[in-house]
Structure formats: C-alpha cells, structure tokens
Amino acid sequence: MPTCANCHHRWSWGQTIKKTNAIDPAMTCPYCGEKQYETQKSRKKNSVLNLVILLPLLIQAFFDIPAVVLIAFIIIIFVAVILLHPLWMEISSREEPPLDL
C-alpha cells in the first residue's frame, strides 16, 4: 500500500482505489491533505501489469481456445490487476516526468 511521503501514513486499499480513479495525476493524502504523485517506477510496473491483461490473446495465437473462455480469462485477469494495483503502488510528494519509452 502507498505511504504518504509527507506524513508517512499508509493509505488503505479503499482510499488508494478512490484516489487512483481520478483524471488528475495529483492525489491528495487523506491524512495530511498534501498532494502525492505516483512514482515513475510504479507507473512502469502498472504498464507491465496492463500488458498482462492481453496475455490470453497471445495464448490464443498458439492454442485454439473457445472465445467464451478467452473473454472470461481476460476479465478475470483484468479484475485481478485492478484489485492488486494498490498493493504495488508507490507515491512521492513530487511529480516525476512521464515514462520514457
């Protein structure tokens, strides 16, 4: 779970989900009110996890999997990634530049 760089309080899973669903990259700490930003390292991890969602499509290229099973597998992985994202998220008090690709 992310820990505020200012007040060092650990955010709960629910607070993290609420904060990450906003369009604005700045997340306000629920304890001290300071703005926090996801670190570049954390954004890289999130990008890799998002690619994992597409893994069933790669498997489909090599094996003949029924469409219903493929769609169910994608949905299960998507939900798992969404639920696990707050556990791996790291935040800092300064905004870092966007990812270098």
Side-chain angles (χ1 to χ4, degrees), residues 14-85:
Q15 290 168 333
T16 306
I17 287 291
K18 287 179 188 175
K19 300 295 180 185
T20 57
N21 286 333
I23 295 173
D24 185 19
M27 300 173 279
T28 306
C29 176
Y31 300 102
C32 67
E34 291 293 319
K35 290 192 177 197
Q36 300 292 302
Y37 302 91
E38 189 172 7
T39 64
Q40 189 174 36
K41 179 181 174 185
S42 181
R43 287 193 303 253
K44 283 181 183 178
K45 281 190 227 176
N46 190 29
S47 297
V48 170
L49 286 175
N50 288 337
L51 289 175
V52 169
I53 295 170
L54 300 175
L55 184 63
L57 295 176
L58 181 64
I59 294 171
Q60 174 66 21
F62 297 106
F63 302 103
D64 187 26
I65 300 174
V68 174
V69 173
L70 185 67
I71 292 170
F73 197 45
I74 290 172
I75 291 171
I76 290 168
I77 293 174
F78 176 76
V79 170
V81 167
I82 295 298
L83 294 176
L84 293 174
H85 174 68

